[in-house]
Amino acid sequence: MTATVPTYRWRLAPDGYATRRQLRALGLRPGGQGVAAQLERPRRRREPLVAYLYRIDRAKPVRPMTPGRAAALAKAMRARRTCPNCRRDAGYCIPRSLGMCVPCHDFPSLTS
């Protein structure tokens, strides 16, 4: 037997519930709790948009950033900014659709 989740119309959820982004803005995280409710926003000729809600009273504080986590995050972001073609830091995250920085994609003869 599956338990159903309470469903509310868009912008009509009762107080005490928040989405992940709203929890993060409050300095909180779901903390292992399951989805407590959901919002549905109807759309024409398509399935409704669904937003999952979590209880604020069960949320836990966000874990503090440690020096090790900060270093790992900086390394990952540096890898996303480095062009695999010219090996330069592009200054922005390389688009996955291109697979390389914009100058390498647009002018391959100039960057080789």
Side-chain angles (χ1 to χ4, degrees):
M1 184 172 185
T2 60
T4 59
V5 177
T7 303
Y8 301 101
R9 301 241 337 145
W10 200 253
R11 298 181 186 239
L12 295 178
D15 291 336
Y17 291 101
T19 63
R20 282 182 181 268
R21 285 187 180 190
Q22 291 168 337
L23 285 176
R24 188 63 177 206
L26 296 171
L28 301 171
R29 61 186 169 96
Q33 66 172 306
V35 174
Q38 68 182 15
L39 290 175
E40 282 192 356
R41 180 178 177 196
R43 300 189 298 175
R44 293 183 187 160
R45 289 178 246 137
R46 290 190 283 180
E47 293 183 13
L49 289 175
V50 176
Y52 297 116
L53 300 173
Y54 302 90
R55 289 184 43 180
I56 294 174
D57 60 341
R58 289 188 180 175
K60 296 180 180 177
V62 174
R63 294 183 185 125
M65 183 66 73
T66 63
R69 287 177 63 197
L73 181 60
K75 183 178 178 182
M77 292 306 293
R78 191 170 38 257
R80 289 183 65 192
R81 290 190 316 263
T82 304
C83 176
N85 195 25
C86 65
R87 308 308 265 162
R88 284 185 267 174
D89 186 340
Y92 55 86
C93 289
I94 304 293
R96 292 179 63 193
S97 60
L98 301 181
M100 60 186 74
C101 64
V102 174
C104 287
H105 180 265
D106 290 346
F107 307 105
S109 59
L110 297 178
T111 58
S112 296

